[in-house]
Amino acid sequence: MIGSEQEHTCVVGLAWGDEGKGKIVDLLCESYDLVVRYNGGANAGHTVCVGDERFALHLLPSGVLHPEKVSVIGPGVVIDPHALLDEIDGLGERGVRVGDNLRISDRAHVVMPYHKIEDQLSEQNAHQGDRIGTTARGIGPCYADKMRRSSAVRICDLVCFETLEPRLRDIIRAKRDGLSAVYGQQITLDSDAIVASLREAAERLLPFVADTTALLHEAHNAGRRILFEGANGTLLDIDHGTYPFVTSSGTTANSVAPGAGVPARTVANVLGVTKAYATRVGKGPFASELDNDIGDRIRKQGNEYGTTTGRPRRCGWFDAVATGYSVRLGGVTEIALMHLDTLAGFERVGICVGYRLDGREVTAPPAHADQLERVEPVFEMLDGWSEDPSRVESLDALPDNAKRYMERIETAVGVPITIVSVGPERSQTIIADTRTMTAVPRATVT
Ligand code: IMP
């Protein structure tokens, strides 16, 4: 890989997920040869609108809507085989065939039924304040088993099912006993049914399984351009997010290297996606939240309901403190600002430009959730705009107040806004001077 310089890009969410990454990845696809998921699992919900059709993707990279691109599910992803097959079948019913264009890493881990049960039990049994509000997709328990190693199942294990089966039966037994003891109730796990259903799914998934690490190295050396698709959002990062109200994987561009199996310097452009306001699903601190009529109005105008769980999203003003932190943390080089149209009609629009904690100003989100819960947002209010920008095609043609609003965000977070989304369709996107679509691949094959 050394010496190769074509510009690969990573798209990440700068908040708590649901920023609109699916639309951006779909848009950028044209300029790339491969699209790679490197973290998370079926907890993600990427919505892509093509014409009148709306696709909700969870495990599949958004590249699958472009059959000529290679879509890769990397080693850092946790895969629920049935959720993945349902997604593939669902697309097939709508005329989108997933075949040779999909490659699944043999190193990725498998989400098992007992992971989902444990996810639910742990939420149900937690004290109200300790509930994370997970998507119940088994993500945390699966990553926990990955770290524990002895109880983990990987995609490559499915290839040698005969070897896996006795070990899997032991794991199921241990899970049943462990969960029953911890939660004080008899947990039923039918080993025969779990084994049979996994075997069936494995047979269908095997044609997609590959050494995707080698595949990416070869693609890079052949001068092909790679788009890495981050799932969830920076503030849900396991190490740097609003812990413990986070997901269980690395969600920034920094996790591309371990999650996809490429060197740390692979990514040249990091496109951070954020809405023109803030949203969050699930529990956890949210400094700029508006638990009032304005928040309700943003939810209504932006149709802010979860893609994966359908839950209403909490809404608030744009948080420049949290977004600036996400930008610095993940080496973000430019921003795609989504849902600008949703803010049309608000007399005033706010940006959270500071946090005050116990009377002092803090410049970044504090580590402790209790402290973050207590910060007081410092809002800067700007004049809004009444003109609907949903048919605007250039930055210049945006309402003046919308331009001023965007300029204030740029100064506050320190990177330029190069893409602006003014509606769900591909055509409702204003593309300014972005390296992610225009930079010419420069390959030095070694
Ligand atoms: P988990 O990833 O299901 O364990 O959920 C942990 C937290 O992350 C919960 O608050 C979820 O609502 C949130 N979360 C995980 N993935 C996403 C996503 O893609 N969008 C929004 N929230 C997410």
mmCIF file of all heavy atoms in Angstrom, residues 367-406:
data_model
loop_
_atom_site.group_PDB
_atom_site.id
_atom_site.type_symbol
_atom_site.label_atom_id
_atom_site.label_comp_id
_atom_site.label_asym_id
_atom_site.label_seq_id
_atom_site.Cartn_x
_atom_site.Cartn_y
_atom_site.Cartn_z
ATOM 1 N N ALA A 367 -16.548 14.363 30.167
ATOM 2 C CA ALA A 367 -16.575 12.900 30.025
ATOM 3 C C ALA A 367 -17.762 12.262 30.736
ATOM 4 O O ALA A 367 -18.358 11.309 30.239
ATOM 5 C CB ALA A 367 -15.277 12.322 30.590
ATOM 6 N N HIS A 368 -18.121 12.824 31.897
ATOM 7 C CA HIS A 368 -19.137 12.145 32.708
ATOM 8 C C HIS A 368 -20.551 12.523 32.267
ATOM 9 O O HIS A 368 -20.866 13.708 32.139
ATOM 10 C CB HIS A 368 -18.932 12.491 34.193
ATOM 11 C CG HIS A 368 -19.472 11.428 35.090
ATOM 12 N ND1 HIS A 368 -20.824 11.187 35.200
ATOM 13 C CD2 HIS A 368 -18.856 10.518 35.884
ATOM 14 C CE1 HIS A 368 -21.022 10.174 36.037
ATOM 15 N NE2 HIS A 368 -19.837 9.753 36.466
ATOM 16 N N ALA A 369 -21.376 11.490 32.085
ATOM 17 C CA ALA A 369 -22.744 11.737 31.614
ATOM 18 C C ALA A 369 -23.508 12.644 32.574
ATOM 19 O O ALA A 369 -24.315 13.471 32.136
ATOM 20 C CB ALA A 369 -23.473 10.406 31.436
ATOM 21 N N ASP A 370 -23.238 12.518 33.885
ATOM 22 C CA ASP A 370 -23.956 13.363 34.857
ATOM 23 C C ASP A 370 -23.615 14.840 34.638
ATOM 24 O O ASP A 370 -24.470 15.717 34.741
ATOM 25 C CB ASP A 370 -23.564 12.984 36.292
ATOM 26 C CG ASP A 370 -24.150 11.647 36.686
ATOM 27 O OD1 ASP A 370 -24.967 11.122 35.902
ATOM 28 O OD2 ASP A 370 -23.776 11.133 37.758
ATOM 29 N N GLN A 371 -22.331 15.092 34.362
ATOM 30 C CA GLN A 371 -21.912 16.480 34.107
ATOM 31 C C GLN A 371 -22.513 16.991 32.801
ATOM 32 O O GLN A 371 -23.004 18.116 32.719
ATOM 33 C CB GLN A 371 -20.391 16.556 34.034
ATOM 34 C CG GLN A 371 -19.720 16.384 35.375
ATOM 35 C CD GLN A 371 -18.257 16.751 35.325
ATOM 36 O OE1 GLN A 371 -17.591 16.533 34.314
ATOM 37 N NE2 GLN A 371 -17.754 17.317 36.404
ATOM 38 N N LEU A 372 -22.486 16.121 31.796
ATOM 39 C CA LEU A 372 -23.040 16.517 30.494
ATOM 40 C C LEU A 372 -24.535 16.794 30.611
ATOM 41 O O LEU A 372 -25.072 17.688 29.962
ATOM 42 C CB LEU A 372 -22.745 15.407 29.476
ATOM 43 C CG LEU A 372 -22.940 15.741 28.003
ATOM 44 C CD1 LEU A 372 -22.306 17.068 27.628
ATOM 45 C CD2 LEU A 372 -22.368 14.633 27.137
ATOM 46 N N GLU A 373 -25.180 16.032 31.467
ATOM 47 C CA GLU A 373 -26.604 16.222 31.703
ATOM 48 C C GLU A 373 -26.857 17.599 32.328
ATOM 49 O O GLU A 373 -27.891 18.209 32.119
ATOM 50 C CB GLU A 373 -27.083 15.103 32.644
ATOM 51 C CG GLU A 373 -28.550 14.808 32.661
ATOM 52 C CD GLU A 373 -29.065 14.160 31.376
ATOM 53 O OE1 GLU A 373 -28.758 12.992 31.100
ATOM 54 O OE2 GLU A 373 -29.792 14.878 30.655
ATOM 55 N N ARG A 374 -25.880 18.066 33.092
ATOM 56 C CA ARG A 374 -26.069 19.323 33.834
ATOM 57 C C ARG A 374 -25.638 20.566 33.061
ATOM 58 O O ARG A 374 -25.875 21.676 33.515
ATOM 59 C CB ARG A 374 -25.268 19.256 35.144
ATOM 60 C CG ARG A 374 -26.004 18.526 36.247
ATOM 61 C CD ARG A 374 -25.378 18.748 37.606
ATOM 62 N NE ARG A 374 -24.090 18.092 37.747
ATOM 63 C CZ ARG A 374 -22.937 18.716 37.976
ATOM 64 N NH1 ARG A 374 -22.905 20.030 38.083
ATOM 65 N NH2 ARG A 374 -21.816 18.031 38.101
ATOM 66 N N VAL A 375 -24.934 20.392 31.916
ATOM 67 C CA VAL A 375 -24.445 21.609 31.246
ATOM 68 C C VAL A 375 -25.620 22.462 30.760
ATOM 69 O O VAL A 375 -26.666 21.941 30.377
ATOM 70 C CB VAL A 375 -23.487 21.329 30.044
ATOM 71 C CG1 VAL A 375 -22.246 20.600 30.465
ATOM 72 C CG2 VAL A 375 -24.195 20.666 28.899
ATOM 73 N N GLU A 376 -25.408 23.766 30.810
ATOM 74 C CA GLU A 376 -26.436 24.677 30.296
ATOM 75 C C GLU A 376 -25.983 25.147 28.931
ATOM 76 O O GLU A 376 -24.857 25.630 28.778
ATOM 77 C CB GLU A 376 -26.561 25.906 31.204
ATOM 78 C CG GLU A 376 -27.138 25.611 32.560
ATOM 79 C CD GLU A 376 -26.827 26.751 33.515
ATOM 80 O OE1 GLU A 376 -26.882 27.921 33.089
ATOM 81 O OE2 GLU A 376 -26.503 26.450 34.676
ATOM 82 N N PRO A 377 -26.834 24.993 27.924
ATOM 83 C CA PRO A 377 -26.439 25.424 26.589
ATOM 84 C C PRO A 377 -26.438 26.943 26.469
ATOM 85 O O PRO A 377 -27.309 27.610 27.038
ATOM 86 C CB PRO A 377 -27.522 24.817 25.700
ATOM 87 C CG PRO A 377 -28.721 24.695 26.585
ATOM 88 C CD PRO A 377 -28.193 24.451 27.975
ATOM 89 N N VAL A 378 -25.455 27.482 25.770
ATOM 90 C CA VAL A 378 -25.463 28.921 25.461
ATOM 91 C C VAL A 378 -25.897 29.030 24.001
ATOM 92 O O VAL A 378 -25.177 28.599 23.099
ATOM 93 C CB VAL A 378 -24.050 29.524 25.633
ATOM 94 C CG1 VAL A 378 -24.063 31.013 25.298
ATOM 95 C CG2 VAL A 378 -23.527 29.266 27.036
ATOM 96 N N PHE A 379 -27.112 29.542 23.798
ATOM 97 C CA PHE A 379 -27.632 29.619 22.432
ATOM 98 C C PHE A 379 -27.367 30.993 21.822
ATOM 99 O O PHE A 379 -27.543 32.018 22.483
ATOM 100 C CB PHE A 379 -29.148 29.371 22.405
ATOM 101 C CG PHE A 379 -29.536 27.941 22.670
ATOM 102 C CD1 PHE A 379 -30.401 27.614 23.709
ATOM 103 C CD2 PHE A 379 -29.034 26.918 21.880
ATOM 104 C CE1 PHE A 379 -30.769 26.298 23.946
ATOM 105 C CE2 PHE A 379 -29.396 25.588 22.114
ATOM 106 C CZ PHE A 379 -30.255 25.289 23.149
ATOM 107 N N GLU A 380 -26.972 30.967 20.577
ATOM 108 C CA GLU A 380 -26.905 32.212 19.807
ATOM 109 C C GLU A 380 -28.090 32.144 18.852
ATOM 110 O O GLU A 380 -28.222 31.158 18.117
ATOM 111 C CB GLU A 380 -25.579 32.224 19.036
ATOM 112 C CG GLU A 380 -25.190 33.559 18.476
ATOM 113 C CD GLU A 380 -23.778 33.503 17.909
ATOM 114 O OE1 GLU A 380 -22.815 33.266 18.665
ATOM 115 O OE2 GLU A 380 -23.660 33.674 16.684
ATOM 116 N N MET A 381 -28.950 33.156 18.887
ATOM 117 C CA MET A 381 -30.142 33.110 18.042
ATOM 118 C C MET A 381 -29.930 33.979 16.802
ATOM 119 O O MET A 381 -29.461 35.111 16.895
ATOM 120 C CB MET A 381 -31.371 33.587 18.820
ATOM 121 C CG MET A 381 -31.716 32.746 20.047
ATOM 122 S SD MET A 381 -31.943 30.969 19.721
ATOM 123 C CE MET A 381 -33.410 30.970 18.691
ATOM 124 N N LEU A 382 -30.255 33.417 15.653
ATOM 125 C CA LEU A 382 -30.099 34.141 14.392
ATOM 126 C C LEU A 382 -31.469 34.285 13.743
ATOM 127 O O LEU A 382 -32.381 33.493 14.024
ATOM 128 C CB LEU A 382 -29.173 33.364 13.442
ATOM 129 C CG LEU A 382 -27.677 33.369 13.737
ATOM 130 C CD1 LEU A 382 -27.321 32.377 14.828
ATOM 131 C CD2 LEU A 382 -26.898 33.021 12.488
ATOM 132 N N ASP A 383 -31.592 35.244 12.821
ATOM 133 C CA ASP A 383 -32.859 35.383 12.105
ATOM 134 C C ASP A 383 -33.075 34.181 11.188
ATOM 135 O O ASP A 383 -32.137 33.718 10.532
ATOM 136 C CB ASP A 383 -32.843 36.663 11.254
ATOM 137 C CG ASP A 383 -32.959 37.894 12.152
ATOM 138 O OD1 ASP A 383 -33.499 37.750 13.278
ATOM 139 O OD2 ASP A 383 -32.485 38.968 11.727
ATOM 140 N N GLY A 384 -34.305 33.707 11.165
ATOM 141 C CA GLY A 384 -34.622 32.565 10.304
ATOM 142 C C GLY A 384 -34.964 33.011 8.889
ATOM 143 O O GLY A 384 -34.760 34.166 8.510
ATOM 144 N N TRP A 385 -35.498 32.082 8.102
ATOM 145 C CA TRP A 385 -35.871 32.395 6.726
ATOM 146 C C TRP A 385 -37.213 31.741 6.436
ATOM 147 O O TRP A 385 -37.497 30.661 6.931
ATOM 148 C CB TRP A 385 -34.804 31.930 5.734
ATOM 149 C CG TRP A 385 -34.442 30.471 5.896
ATOM 150 C CD1 TRP A 385 -34.970 29.428 5.209
ATOM 151 C CD2 TRP A 385 -33.497 29.906 6.830
ATOM 152 N NE1 TRP A 385 -34.420 28.247 5.651
ATOM 153 C CE2 TRP A 385 -33.522 28.507 6.638
ATOM 154 C CE3 TRP A 385 -32.647 30.433 7.795
ATOM 155 C CZ2 TRP A 385 -32.721 27.646 7.374
ATOM 156 C CZ3 TRP A 385 -31.853 29.565 8.532
ATOM 157 C CH2 TRP A 385 -31.878 28.191 8.321
ATOM 158 N N SER A 386 -38.039 32.431 5.658
ATOM 159 C CA SER A 386 -39.361 31.870 5.381
ATOM 160 C C SER A 386 -39.393 31.160 4.026
ATOM 161 O O SER A 386 -40.236 30.303 3.771
ATOM 162 C CB SER A 386 -40.409 32.978 5.421
ATOM 163 O OG SER A 386 -39.994 34.009 4.557
ATOM 164 N N GLU A 387 -38.440 31.523 3.143
ATOM 165 C CA GLU A 387 -38.443 30.919 1.810
ATOM 166 C C GLU A 387 -38.095 29.429 1.907
ATOM 167 O O GLU A 387 -37.175 29.057 2.609
ATOM 168 C CB GLU A 387 -37.418 31.589 0.891
ATOM 169 C CG GLU A 387 -37.511 33.104 0.843
ATOM 170 C CD GLU A 387 -36.598 33.793 1.866
ATOM 171 O OE1 GLU A 387 -36.572 33.351 3.038
ATOM 172 O OE2 GLU A 387 -35.919 34.748 1.488
ATOM 173 N N ASP A 388 -38.840 28.606 1.153
ATOM 174 C CA ASP A 388 -38.574 27.166 1.143
ATOM 175 C C ASP A 388 -37.401 26.889 0.186
ATOM 176 O O ASP A 388 -37.500 27.148 -1.012
ATOM 177 C CB ASP A 388 -39.852 26.452 0.657
ATOM 178 C CG ASP A 388 -39.620 24.982 0.413
ATOM 179 O OD1 ASP A 388 -38.606 24.444 0.913
ATOM 180 O OD2 ASP A 388 -40.458 24.357 -0.275
ATOM 181 N N PRO A 389 -36.292 26.347 0.706
ATOM 182 C CA PRO A 389 -35.135 26.163 -0.178
ATOM 183 C C PRO A 389 -35.127 24.822 -0.912
ATOM 184 O O PRO A 389 -34.140 24.486 -1.562
ATOM 185 C CB PRO A 389 -33.961 26.218 0.820
ATOM 186 C CG PRO A 389 -34.514 25.674 2.080
ATOM 187 C CD PRO A 389 -35.996 25.934 2.083
ATOM 188 N N SER A 390 -36.243 24.070 -0.854
ATOM 189 C CA SER A 390 -36.178 22.684 -1.331
ATOM 190 C C SER A 390 -35.964 22.543 -2.834
ATOM 191 O O SER A 390 -35.662 21.462 -3.312
ATOM 192 C CB SER A 390 -37.406 21.897 -0.869
ATOM 193 O OG SER A 390 -38.559 22.498 -1.363
ATOM 194 N N ARG A 391 -36.135 23.630 -3.596
ATOM 195 C CA ARG A 391 -35.861 23.545 -5.044
ATOM 196 C C ARG A 391 -34.632 24.353 -5.443
ATOM 197 O O ARG A 391 -34.331 24.499 -6.627
ATOM 198 C CB ARG A 391 -37.076 24.007 -5.867
ATOM 199 C CG ARG A 391 -38.296 23.140 -5.720
ATOM 200 C CD ARG A 391 -38.147 21.796 -6.468
ATOM 201 N NE ARG A 391 -38.938 20.764 -5.817
ATOM 202 C CZ ARG A 391 -38.646 19.465 -5.797
ATOM 203 N NH1 ARG A 391 -37.559 19.014 -6.403
ATOM 204 N NH2 ARG A 391 -39.409 18.592 -5.182
ATOM 205 N N VAL A 392 -33.926 24.878 -4.446
ATOM 206 C CA VAL A 392 -32.745 25.694 -4.739
ATOM 207 C C VAL A 392 -31.605 24.798 -5.226
ATOM 208 O O VAL A 392 -31.418 23.684 -4.730
ATOM 209 C CB VAL A 392 -32.318 26.473 -3.461
ATOM 210 C CG1 VAL A 392 -30.961 27.112 -3.632
ATOM 211 C CG2 VAL A 392 -33.365 27.534 -3.133
ATOM 212 N N GLU A 393 -30.857 25.273 -6.249
ATOM 213 C CA GLU A 393 -29.827 24.409 -6.828
ATOM 214 C C GLU A 393 -28.399 24.903 -6.613
ATOM 215 O O GLU A 393 -27.449 24.251 -7.044
ATOM 216 C CB GLU A 393 -30.100 24.237 -8.326
ATOM 217 C CG GLU A 393 -31.338 23.384 -8.540
ATOM 218 C CD GLU A 393 -31.696 23.182 -9.988
ATOM 219 O OE1 GLU A 393 -30.963 23.702 -10.864
ATOM 220 O OE2 GLU A 393 -32.724 22.523 -10.235
ATOM 221 N N SER A 394 -28.235 26.100 -6.022
ATOM 222 C CA SER A 394 -26.861 26.558 -5.780
ATOM 223 C C SER A 394 -26.799 27.252 -4.423
ATOM 224 O O SER A 394 -27.818 27.762 -3.930
ATOM 225 C CB SER A 394 -26.427 27.540 -6.872
ATOM 226 O OG SER A 394 -27.111 28.760 -6.691
ATOM 227 N N LEU A 395 -25.605 27.285 -3.864
ATOM 228 C CA LEU A 395 -25.443 27.933 -2.555
ATOM 229 C C LEU A 395 -25.867 29.389 -2.620
ATOM 230 O O LEU A 395 -26.525 29.906 -1.718
ATOM 231 C CB LEU A 395 -23.988 27.848 -2.104
ATOM 232 C CG LEU A 395 -23.468 26.487 -1.641
ATOM 233 C CD1 LEU A 395 -22.042 26.616 -1.128
ATOM 234 C CD2 LEU A 395 -24.360 25.895 -0.546
ATOM 235 N N ASP A 396 -25.494 30.040 -3.726
ATOM 236 C CA ASP A 396 -25.806 31.460 -3.902
ATOM 237 C C ASP A 396 -27.297 31.746 -3.824
ATOM 238 O O ASP A 396 -27.712 32.797 -3.341
ATOM 239 C CB ASP A 396 -25.303 31.928 -5.275
ATOM 240 C CG ASP A 396 -23.864 32.384 -5.160
ATOM 241 O OD1 ASP A 396 -23.368 32.430 -4.016
ATOM 242 O OD2 ASP A 396 -23.252 32.678 -6.213
ATOM 243 N N ALA A 397 -28.068 30.793 -4.340
ATOM 244 C CA ALA A 397 -29.515 31.030 -4.421
ATOM 245 C C ALA A 397 -30.246 30.737 -3.101
ATOM 246 O O ALA A 397 -31.457 30.927 -3.009
ATOM 247 C CB ALA A 397 -30.091 30.174 -5.551
ATOM 248 N N LEU A 398 -29.539 30.300 -2.099
ATOM 249 C CA LEU A 398 -30.194 30.052 -0.799
ATOM 250 C C LEU A 398 -30.607 31.378 -0.165
ATOM 251 O O LEU A 398 -29.970 32.414 -0.425
ATOM 252 C CB LEU A 398 -29.223 29.325 0.140
ATOM 253 C CG LEU A 398 -29.013 27.833 -0.099
ATOM 254 C CD1 LEU A 398 -27.859 27.307 0.754
ATOM 255 C CD2 LEU A 398 -30.294 27.046 0.177
ATOM 256 N N PRO A 399 -31.637 31.369 0.673
ATOM 257 C CA PRO A 399 -32.023 32.612 1.363
ATOM 258 C C PRO A 399 -30.815 33.177 2.130
ATOM 259 O O PRO A 399 -30.010 32.409 2.684
ATOM 260 C CB PRO A 399 -33.108 32.155 2.336
ATOM 261 C CG PRO A 399 -33.610 30.854 1.807
ATOM 262 C CD PRO A 399 -32.498 30.234 1.035
ATOM 263 N N ASP A 400 -30.695 34.515 2.164
ATOM 264 C CA ASP A 400 -29.540 35.150 2.810
ATOM 265 C C ASP A 400 -29.368 34.703 4.262
ATOM 266 O O ASP A 400 -28.258 34.438 4.718
ATOM 267 C CB ASP A 400 -29.676 36.677 2.763
ATOM 268 C CG ASP A 400 -29.383 37.181 1.359
ATOM 269 O OD1 ASP A 400 -28.747 36.414 0.581
ATOM 270 O OD2 ASP A 400 -29.792 38.315 1.032
ATOM 271 N N ASN A 401 -30.499 34.614 4.978
ATOM 272 C CA ASN A 401 -30.378 34.226 6.392
ATOM 273 C C ASN A 401 -29.910 32.779 6.548
ATOM 274 O O ASN A 401 -29.240 32.439 7.518
ATOM 275 C CB ASN A 401 -31.699 34.449 7.130
ATOM 276 C CG ASN A 401 -31.909 35.927 7.423
ATOM 277 O OD1 ASN A 401 -30.972 36.721 7.304
ATOM 278 N ND2 ASN A 401 -33.134 36.298 7.775
ATOM 279 N N ALA A 402 -30.280 31.936 5.589
ATOM 280 C CA ALA A 402 -29.802 30.542 5.629
ATOM 281 C C ALA A 402 -28.290 30.532 5.393
ATOM 282 O O ALA A 402 -27.550 29.774 6.035
ATOM 283 C CB ALA A 402 -30.514 29.705 4.573
ATOM 284 N N LYS A 403 -27.828 31.399 4.499
ATOM 285 C CA LYS A 403 -26.372 31.476 4.241
ATOM 286 C C LYS A 403 -25.631 31.961 5.483
ATOM 287 O O LYS A 403 -24.585 31.433 5.849
ATOM 288 C CB LYS A 403 -26.097 32.417 3.052
ATOM 289 C CG LYS A 403 -26.378 31.742 1.711
ATOM 290 C CD LYS A 403 -25.856 32.552 0.561
ATOM 291 C CE LYS A 403 -26.982 33.406 0.014
ATOM 292 N NZ LYS A 403 -26.679 34.113 -1.222
ATOM 293 N N ARG A 404 -26.228 32.960 6.143
ATOM 294 C CA ARG A 404 -25.586 33.489 7.367
ATOM 295 C C ARG A 404 -25.534 32.398 8.452
ATOM 296 O O ARG A 404 -24.545 32.248 9.159
ATOM 297 C CB ARG A 404 -26.363 34.709 7.885
ATOM 298 C CG ARG A 404 -25.863 36.008 7.245
ATOM 299 C CD ARG A 404 -26.440 37.222 7.978
ATOM 300 N NE ARG A 404 -27.751 37.557 7.467
ATOM 301 C CZ ARG A 404 -27.985 38.293 6.372
ATOM 302 N NH1 ARG A 404 -26.954 38.776 5.684
ATOM 303 N NH2 ARG A 404 -29.190 38.552 5.959
ATOM 304 N N TYR A 405 -26.615 31.639 8.510
ATOM 305 C CA TYR A 405 -26.693 30.555 9.494
ATOM 306 C C TYR A 405 -25.581 29.529 9.230
ATOM 307 O O TYR A 405 -24.856 29.098 10.140
ATOM 308 C CB TYR A 405 -28.080 29.907 9.374
ATOM 309 C CG TYR A 405 -28.335 28.744 10.289
ATOM 310 C CD1 TYR A 405 -28.485 28.928 11.653
ATOM 311 C CD2 TYR A 405 -28.446 27.447 9.773
ATOM 312 C CE1 TYR A 405 -28.734 27.862 12.496
ATOM 313 C CE2 TYR A 405 -28.693 26.371 10.604
ATOM 314 C CZ TYR A 405 -28.839 26.586 11.966
ATOM 315 O OH TYR A 405 -29.081 25.521 12.791
ATOM 316 N N MET A 406 -25.407 29.180 7.965
ATOM 317 C CA MET A 406 -24.368 28.196 7.610
ATOM 318 C C MET A 406 -22.968 28.742 7.871
ATOM 319 O O MET A 406 -22.080 28.019 8.332
ATOM 320 C CB MET A 406 -24.523 27.796 6.139
ATOM 321 C CG MET A 406 -25.695 26.847 5.928
ATOM 322 S SD MET A 406 -26.192 26.664 4.218
ATOM 323 C CE MET A 406 -24.662 26.616 3.380
#
